[in-house]
Amino acid sequence: FFSAVMEDDGEEAEEEGEEEEERRDERVLSEVHLGVRGAAASTEATTTTTTDFTFVDPAMVDSDGDLLLAKRKRRSATPDTESDSGASDDGGGGGSQQPWQFRIRHGLATSLDRVGLQVWRGALLMAEALLSGLVPQDGGCTLELGCGTALAGIVAASLRPSVTFLTDRDPTILSLAEENAALNSAGDSARCRVLDWSRPLRPQLHGGEEEEGGKYGWVAEDVERLREVSVVLAADCIYDDDTTDAFLATLRQLQPFLHPGRCEVFLTLEKRFNFTLDDTRWDARASAYDHFASKMANIKGIIKGFRVVQPLDKHVKRWLEYGRGSDLVLMRCQLEPAAGWEPAIQ
């Protein structure tokens, strides 16, 4: 009986391994890229293209969709188009009435483990929140977790004057983020660094370039600058139960390294619905979002000093035409230092 069970378990494990491999090889395409010629037919992981995302303040557009300030110089983040240097004359960010253009190099259809090479709707919503002035534009540093193509982080780097850390687990993704930062003249203020949520944080921060992240490894100066991080961004990088748990564990471990005062955390998520047939009735559930919501309901037991302040998705101006609906969520949270709290580095 024992040997038979072991044999069955082995076969089951082998089947699960094959299913996991098939899942990793499955190719997905962001809705953002559906209009890109040839995107749906792309089968190579290395297939990339460049898209210019132009964000226009709705206050600039009349009822016919025409720009009210068409004769004014366009504000652009790309180095090869006409742009203003420095802040705009009406305050920049949420008060600016000039279009912002960001040139992003990105992948098309990718495997599930490389979805960070694509632009997702949550990144567009985060960019709109930044441009709407909903994210503080203080003098602190910015940390983007799971940056992917780094669109949100690059927008933040254009608005917030200090260092922006663009972090992800994959050096290939970080290489693309670095390229995009350079394309948008954000290379001087943006630092691309490896941060793998599935691994203990402290060795990653203190390992140095050679031991941990190679070209994108953390150095001592970076760890010092983390103490100046007052804003953390996470744009649509939480999409299943495992990433939710890993994200919260990483945020808990980061807590003592960030600003000793209060740090604000901005999250965008997409409610991805799965349809199932149960007793001849179709049922739609966003199971990954439900898992995240259950964790947030008990967040005091997971991260001391962390709390949700308010949902912001209904307060964000529409700067860009894309499929933005009620399935996109934006949350503003606060992370405060907790006396005597030591993060779990396990």
Side-chain angles (χ1 to χ4, degrees):
F1 178 78
F2 178 78
S3 60
V5 170
M6 292 294 291
E7 182 178 347
D8 289 342
D9 286 348
E11 291 176 357
E12 183 178 342
E14 184 177 351
E15 290 175 1
E16 290 178 353
E18 291 174 355
E19 290 176 0
E20 178 64 20
E21 186 174 351
E22 289 177 1
R23 193 180 76 88
R24 287 197 304 268
D25 291 339
E26 179 185 349
R27 307 194 73 76
V28 294
L29 176 67
S30 167
E31 294 178 16
V32 175
H33 307 318
L34 289 177
V36 178
R37 183 183 299 274
S42 170
T43 57
E44 298 296 328
T46 55
T47 300
T48 58
T49 189
T50 301
T51 301
D52 289 332
F53 293 92
T54 302
F55 295 85
V56 181
D57 189 329
M60 293 179 57
V61 182
D62 63 19
S63 58
D64 296 323
D66 298 322
L67 288 177
L68 296 174
L69 303 174
K71 294 184 179 180
R72 294 185 62 179
K73 189 180 295 185
R74 181 176 61 182
R75 179 70 180 267
S76 172
T78 59
D80 56 349
T81 58
E82 185 180 19
S83 63
D84 291 334
S85 58
S88 65
D89 55 7
D90 47 8
S96 175
Q97 289 193 334
Q98 301 180 60
W100 287 78
Q101 186 180 82
F102 298 91
R103 178 161 295 171
I104 299 297
R105 187 113 182 122
H106 58 84
L108 296 176
T110 64
S111 57
L112 286 172
D113 61 345
R114 289 290 175 87
V115 292
L117 295 173
Q118 301 187 56
V119 178
W120 297 87
R121 292 187 300 150
L124 300 180
L125 179 59
M126 186 71 79
E128 289 180 311
L130 285 155
L131 293 168
S132 297
L134 297 176
V135 178
Q137 296 179 26
D138 53 33
C141 295
T142 306
L143 171 66
E144 184 176 14
L145 299 174
C147 69
T149 62
L151 172 59
I154 289 168
V155 175
S158 301
L159 296 170
R160 293 170 54 82
S162 195
V163 170
T164 296
F165 290 101
L166 307 174
T167 69
D168 213 298
R169 63 177 179 80
D170 190 336
T172 300
I173 294 175
L174 286 172
S175 177
L176 185 64
E178 185 176 50
E179 181 181 354
N180 284 330
L183 278 174
N184 293 277
S185 301
D188 291 339
S189 60
R191 300 183 186 182
C192 296
R193 297 291 182 261
V194 168
L195 194 58
D196 187 343
W197 302 352
S198 67
R199 300 176 52 213
L201 175 69
R202 196 177 296 273
Q204 296 185 71
L205 296 183
H206 295 292
E209 293 184 1
E210 294 182 0
E211 290 83 354
E212 286 295 329
K215 177 182 178 182
Y216 302 115
W218 295 81
V219 295
E221 183 195 356
D222 295 332
V223 179
E224 292 177 6
R225 294 305 296 267
L226 281 178
R227 300 293 288 173
E228 301 174 30
V229 169
S230 57
V231 166
V232 176
L233 307 176
D236 200 10
C237 52
I238 305 172
Y239 46 82
D240 61 26
D241 295 0
D242 291 340
T243 55
T244 291
D245 297 344
F247 170 78
L248 294 176
T250 297
L251 196 59
R252 180 179 62 188
Q253 294 177 68
L254 274 167
Q255 191 174 19
F257 292 97
L258 303 180
H259 196 286
R262 188 169 62 193
C263 181
E264 296 205 70
V265 181
F266 294 84
L267 309 171
T268 61
L269 302 95
E270 179 179 342
K271 297 179 182 178
R272 293 179 168 89
F273 289 92
N274 298 315
F275 296 87
T276 57
L277 183 62
D278 184 18
D279 295 332
T280 70
R281 184 175 66 88
W282 285 102
D283 186 25
R285 290 187 178 181
S287 56
Y289 178 80
D290 291 342
H291 178 77
F292 171 81
S294 69
K295 292 291 184 179
M296 297 304 289
N298 188 40
I299 196 64
K300 290 183 179 180
I302 301 172
I303 308 175
K304 293 183 179 179
F306 186 83
R307 67 187 183 95
V308 177
V309 177
Q310 65 180 136
L312 287 178
D313 36 283
K314 291 182 173 59
H315 301 279
V316 182
K317 296 180 180 179
R318 290 181 179 266
W319 290 66
L320 187 70
E321 287 296 326
Y322 64 101
R324 176 177 151 190
S326 59
D327 58 331
L328 279 180
V329 176
L330 169 63
M331 294 181 180
R332 174 183 168 225
C333 310
Q334 288 180 347
L335 181 65
E336 300 179 358
W341 175 254
E342 287 294 332
I345 310 293
Q346 301 298 326

